[in-house]
Amino acid sequence: MEDSAPRPARQAITAANPADRPVYVIGGGPGGLATAYALRAQGIRAVVVEKADGVGASWRRHYDRLHLHTTRRLSALPGLAIPRRFGRWVARDDLVRYLEKYAEFHELEIVTGVEVSRVERTPDGNGWLLRATGGRELVGSAVVVATGYNHTPRLPRWPGREDFTGDLTHAADYRSGKEYAGRDVLVVGVGNTGAEIAVDLVENGAGRVRLAVRTVPHIVRRSTAGWAAQYSGIMIRRLPVGLVDRISRVMAKASVPDLSAHGLPRPDTGLYTRARQGAIPVQDVGLIDAVRRGRVEIVAAVESFGDGGEVVLADGSRISPDAVVAATGYVRALEGLVGHLGVLDDEGRPVAHGPRTPKDAPGLYFTGYTTPISGTLRELAMDAEKIAKAVRRRSR
């Protein structure tokens, strides 16, 4: 593919990275595309390998209602702004269009329909061998793993789950509340996805909507008087955790009504303490109003499934919804790909992230496996440039 960069950059690609050993980027989502561009900007040949037929595959599968909870300006990837016509809160389909345009605009080298199943060191110890579909063996000087945080749906093994006679689906397969009009639906999980799906069900005419909550979340306004919650997330990142917890507690009392009477008391632990543990606050896109009006009912967590269509809750109560939507998160599913290299922790997360590489795996990078309070796309963009510079330094 012809490079749009000036001639010196093309020469640098050849000198720094021979054509037979490019840097391979696994995953054609925002993180992978941003990293590929950043590598190119450093004069390094980068090849994106994507198992789906096009870029942004995970975003295409999200529910119809989805909009970014981060602002358009702070969600753009390096080298190309998101069009203003997409609005402040970019819709799912518009983000997919942007990712497609991004790959085209930067003339990124992308191979689709190929899945990498295992990453190994090359026999000479100077590069990486990628085993892919069709018996392919790809050899790269470095590898960036960017398969995404929302990789494989996690559906808890609730006792009796297999005998449930109602509809049970993971949020990954949920598209629109229109499919549930007039039905009694239980949404399990009160992260951003579960909260938004519950609101979507209400707005599309579900007969009854209940939201099962195990751990009470922190809820913040997505925007207050034009000030996006993301701005606050960026400002507090380097402040002491205890200080941020105290500030956020005061702000919550001023901006979010007490929903204790409706089953959502204020959390006991601080907002930033939770965020550092990976629990990002729920940004309100209608949940507060729906709970106050009784249109979304808060119930206890799901413990098991009873006979037929019954669901047993943690408080001992039993309900019989027509359908259950499990917004129970995802697993990274990196074990088969890199688990044998000793680069994952006990929970399957990379031990190093961004420009840092695992001690025993130099040249192996990971991006997109954290949930920063300052905005995932913003951090992906920053990580991309840091990774590219780290690869460049290593190549020298």
Side-chain angles (χ1 to χ4, degrees):
M1 181 176 290
E2 184 63 27
D3 196 325
S4 59
R7 179 57 58 185
R10 169 60 73 184
Q11 293 171 346
I13 290 173
T14 304
N17 249 339
D20 61 337
R21 287 199 175 183
V23 173
Y24 279 104
V25 181
I26 306 174
L33 298 180
T35 303
Y37 164 73
L39 286 164
R40 283 273 300 274
Q42 289 290 326
I44 299 170
R45 183 183 174 215
V47 179
V48 178
V49 184
E50 167 56 50
K51 69 177 182 179
D53 295 331
V55 300
S58 64
W59 286 94
R60 297 174 192 272
R61 295 193 299 267
H62 283 307
Y63 47 92
D64 296 346
R65 174 194 171 95
L66 179 68
H67 285 70
L68 295 182
H69 291 166
T70 53
T71 66
R72 180 191 73 253
R73 292 183 60 190
L74 295 180
S75 299
L77 304 181
L80 185 66
I82 298 177
R84 292 187 63 182
R85 68 178 182 276
F86 288 172
R88 192 183 195 195
W89 312 107
V90 181
R92 178 201 64 185
D93 290 348
D94 285 335
L95 182 65
V96 171
R97 293 186 185 98
Y98 169 71
L99 296 178
E100 292 173 337
K101 180 64 177 178
Y102 190 87
E104 176 188 358
F105 181 81
H106 291 303
E107 298 184 342
L108 300 181
E109 191 172 349
I110 302 173
V111 179
T112 58
V114 174
E115 182 175 6
V116 178
S117 58
R118 188 176 175 89
V119 176
E120 304 172 353
R121 293 305 302 248
T122 54
D124 63 12
N126 293 323
W128 293 94
L129 173 65
L130 286 66
R131 300 190 184 278
T133 50
R136 296 175 177 85
E137 293 185 347
L138 312 173
V139 180
S141 61
V143 174
V144 181
V145 181
T147 52
Y149 193 88
N150 295 339
H151 187 276
T152 301
R154 174 185 173 273
L155 191 61
R157 294 184 177 277
W158 290 298
R161 189 186 75 185
E162 294 77 9
D163 300 324
F164 181 60
T165 56
D167 292 337
L168 172 61
T169 186
H170 190 274
D173 298 315
Y174 177 92
R175 292 295 172 268
S176 170
K178 295 177 182 178
E179 303 167 19
Y180 297 86
R183 305 179 71 188
D184 183 339
V185 187
L186 172 67
V187 180
V188 184
V190 70
N192 277 294
T193 296
E196 190 156 1
I197 286 176
V199 173
D200 188 53
L201 287 164
V202 167
E203 293 180 350
N204 281 284
R208 185 177 189 179
V209 179
R210 284 174 282 203
L211 182 59
V213 176
R214 184 175 299 277
T215 302
V216 179
H218 284 276
I219 303 176
V220 299
R221 301 286 188 182
R222 185 171 67 174
S223 179
T224 303
W227 179 266
Q230 183 185 14
Y231 300 160
S232 298
I234 294 171
M235 292 176 62
I236 67 175
R237 285 205 67 182
R238 300 192 183 280
L239 294 177
V241 174
L243 174 61
V244 176
D245 284 348
R246 290 192 293 273
I247 294 173
S248 61
R249 191 174 296 115
V250 173
M251 293 178 63
K253 289 182 178 180
S255 62
V256 178
D258 185 358
L259 300 174
S260 299
H262 303 280
L264 282 179
R266 298 192 188 278
D268 295 330
T269 53
L271 182 149
Y272 202 25
T273 296
R274 287 268 195 93
R276 293 288 291 270
Q277 297 169 349
I280 297 301
V282 171
Q283 294 204 24
D284 178 50
V285 290
L287 180 66
I288 293 174
D289 185 61
V291 169
R292 293 178 73 182
R293 292 173 178 269
R295 302 182 71 187
V296 170
E297 304 169 43
I298 304 300
V299 298
V302 172
E303 285 296 304
S304 63
F305 286 78
D307 296 332
E310 280 194 334
V311 177
V312 182
L313 304 180
D315 60 3
S317 60
R318 294 171 177 259
I319 60 176
S320 299
D322 300 322
V324 175
V325 179
T328 46
Y330 297 79
V331 293
R332 314 293 83 79
L334 293 170
E335 289 78 7
L337 186 68
V338 297
H340 56 285
L341 298 172
V343 297
L344 304 177
D345 64 17
D346 293 339
E347 296 184 9
R349 299 171 300 191
V351 296
H353 197 268
R356 296 181 295 111
T357 61
K359 179 180 178 182
D360 297 324
L364 180 62
Y365 302 86
F366 295 88
T367 184
Y369 298 99
T370 61
T371 53
I373 197 170
S374 52
T376 298
L377 291 175
R378 176 180 181 271
E379 296 300 321
L380 285 175
M382 296 170 65
D383 272 352
E385 296 182 330
K386 293 176 183 177
I387 290 172
K389 291 177 181 178
V391 172
R392 183 63 178 171
R393 286 193 299 269
R394 184 172 177 273
S395 69
R396 288 174 176 172

